[in-house]
Amino acid sequence: GQGEGEGEGEGEGEGEGEGEGEGEGEPMIYSIGTRRVTFTDPSRGNREIPTQIYYPSDTAGTDVPLASGIATFPLLVFGHGFQISYTFYDYIFETMIPKGYVVAYPDTGNELFPDHEDFGRDMAFVADILLASREAPGSFFFGRLPDVCAVMGHSMGGGAALLATSYSNNITAALLLAAAETNPSAVGAAAGFGGPALIFSGGRDRVTPPADHQIPMYNALPGTCKYRITVTDGSHCQFSENSTVCNIGERTVCLFCSFLNGETHRELVKELMAPWLDWQLKGSAIAGQAYLSALAEETAAGRTSYQGQCP
C-alpha cells in the first residue's frame, strides 16, 4: 500500500470487546485488567517511574490475573502530552486491550518544565523492563509478551516516543499523535529509527503545526514503511479526551478556529490505528488490507489526506 491522497466510526469501550488473538483466526474477547507499578531505573540514580498498565484479562478489574491461555499480547508504551494526564487517553487502551494488547502509560513528565530526555528514557525503560519480565518465571507477564513493542504518544509524548527509540533496541514500531519537537531533538532521533511508523497530524493544528513538527519527523525517518495521515479540520487537542488545559492553550493560539468534533476525530484515529498496529505488531495481512481500505475510504471522503507507503 502506498501513495498520497487527499483525504469515522463510534463508541468508547466498556471493558470488553473483540480482539484479534493469535494469527488470522477467530477474534478473541478480552476484558480490561489494570495495575499500577513503580519501576526504578538504577542507571539514573534510582529514578522512580510510576506506570499505569492495562492488559487483557478474563474478568475486568484491578490486579486481576492476565487472560488465561497461551496467547501473547504485543506491548504499547504511551507518552502523554504537556500538562495532559495519561487519564485523558483512555480511548487508546479501551480500543487496544480487547484486541489483545498490553498498554503502559508512564506517569512522569508532569512537571511545569518537564525534561524531555528523561521522559523518553522513562518510556524506553518501561518497554525494556516489561519485555525482560517475559523471561522471568513468576513475573506477571512471563511468556506472554512477544518480541515486539510500539511506542506511542501525543504532542510532547509523541516527540518523547521518538526519543525513546534511541534509548532502547526493543522498540520495533512508532505511532505518533500530533507529535511535538523536543529537546533533545525528536527529529534527530527519527533519523535513527528504521522501523515502521505512523504519524497523525491535525489539519488545523496551530500548537504543533505539521510543517514545523510532524513533517520534519516524517521526512527524517529512514524506513521504507511509514505514513503520515492528516485529519481534515483536526485540531491538536482532540487527540486527547477533553483536556481543559490543552483546549485553553489551543484557543490562545487560534481563538476563532473551528475544528472537527472531538469524538469524530478520535474515532477516525481508532479506525486507522487499530488495524495498523495489528498489521505491524501481529503480522496480520488481513489487518494490513483493512488499514489500507479504511485509509482509502476516508481519503476519498475527504476526511483525511496522507503520504506514505509500506512495501
Side-chain angles (χ1 to χ4, degrees):
Q2 61 179 324
E4 299 193 10
E6 300 299 325
E8 270 154 32
E10 191 166 358
E12 296 292 330
E14 291 296 329
E16 48 181 45
E18 292 189 353
E20 285 277 317
E22 296 281 270
E24 303 286 348
E26 290 298 317
M28 298 294 293
I29 298 174
Y30 297 110
S31 295
I32 298 176
T34 181
R35 64 197 316 250
R36 181 87 170 180
V37 180
T38 296
F39 299 110
T40 302
D41 183 357
S43 72
R44 290 182 289 158
N46 290 327
R47 177 179 171 85
E48 293 188 343
I49 309 168
T51 305
Q52 195 73 23
I53 303 174
Y54 298 90
Y55 53 90
S57 61
D58 296 328
T59 304
T62 301
D63 293 325
V64 296
L66 195 65
S68 57
I70 60 171
T72 57
F73 307 119
L75 174 63
L76 310 175
V77 180
F78 189 95
H80 63 80
F82 174 68
Q83 295 294 292
I84 310 175
S85 165
Y86 75 89
T87 60
F88 287 94
Y89 303 96
D90 286 358
Y91 76 98
I92 301 295
F93 80 79
E94 288 173 346
T95 300
M96 301 312 302
I97 301 304
K99 291 177 64 63
Y101 287 79
V102 172
V103 182
Y105 296 85
D107 191 12
T108 57
N110 298 304
E111 303 86 357
L112 184 58
F113 300 103
D115 186 307
H116 298 155
E117 181 177 3
D118 268 339
F119 195 30
R121 288 189 181 277
D122 291 345
M123 295 178 68
F125 187 81
V126 169
D128 288 347
I129 198 167
L130 284 175
L131 288 175
S133 75
R134 69 199 173 109
E135 305 291 345
S139 72
F140 190 81
F141 293 110
F142 175 59
R144 303 299 297 276
L145 299 175
D147 191 21
V148 293
C149 172
V151 284
M152 302 175 62
H154 172 224
S155 193
M156 174 188 75
L162 280 177
L163 295 179
T165 65
S166 64
Y167 307 137
S168 170
N169 293 324
N170 289 314
I171 296 167
T172 57
L175 193 155
L176 316 176
L177 309 175
E181 173 64 315
T182 53
N183 183 22
S185 173
V187 175
F193 180 65
L198 173 59
I199 301 175
F200 283 91
S201 299
R204 295 191 176 185
D205 183 351
R206 300 296 181 269
V207 179
T208 58
D212 299 328
H213 295 265
Q214 299 95 55
I215 291 176
M217 293 174 190
Y218 174 85
N219 289 338
L221 289 165
T224 59
C225 181
K226 61 180 184 178
Y227 283 91
R228 190 182 70 84
I229 299 174
T230 300
V231 178
T232 305
D233 296 332
S235 74
H236 181 78
C237 295
Q238 301 294 16
F239 287 103
S240 63
E241 296 177 298
N242 303 314
S243 168
T244 300
V245 172
C246 189
N247 289 333
I248 290 174
E250 186 152 42
R251 289 302 176 187
T252 300
V253 298
C254 199
L255 181 60
F256 298 109
C257 287
S258 60
F259 304 116
L260 184 67
N261 172 270
E263 286 296 326
T264 302
H265 184 133
R266 289 184 290 276
E267 290 297 334
L268 184 54
V269 171
K270 288 157 61 176
E271 179 187 10
L272 296 165
M273 168 186 70
W276 188 84
L277 288 169
D278 279 352
W279 183 19
Q280 301 303 329
L281 297 188
K282 294 186 176 184
S284 170
I286 291 175
Q289 289 301 317
Y291 164 79
L292 294 171
S293 295
L295 182 59
E297 179 180 337
E298 298 298 354
T299 298
R303 291 185 283 265
T304 63
S305 59
Y306 77 94
Q307 59 183 135
Q309 62 180 351
C310 193

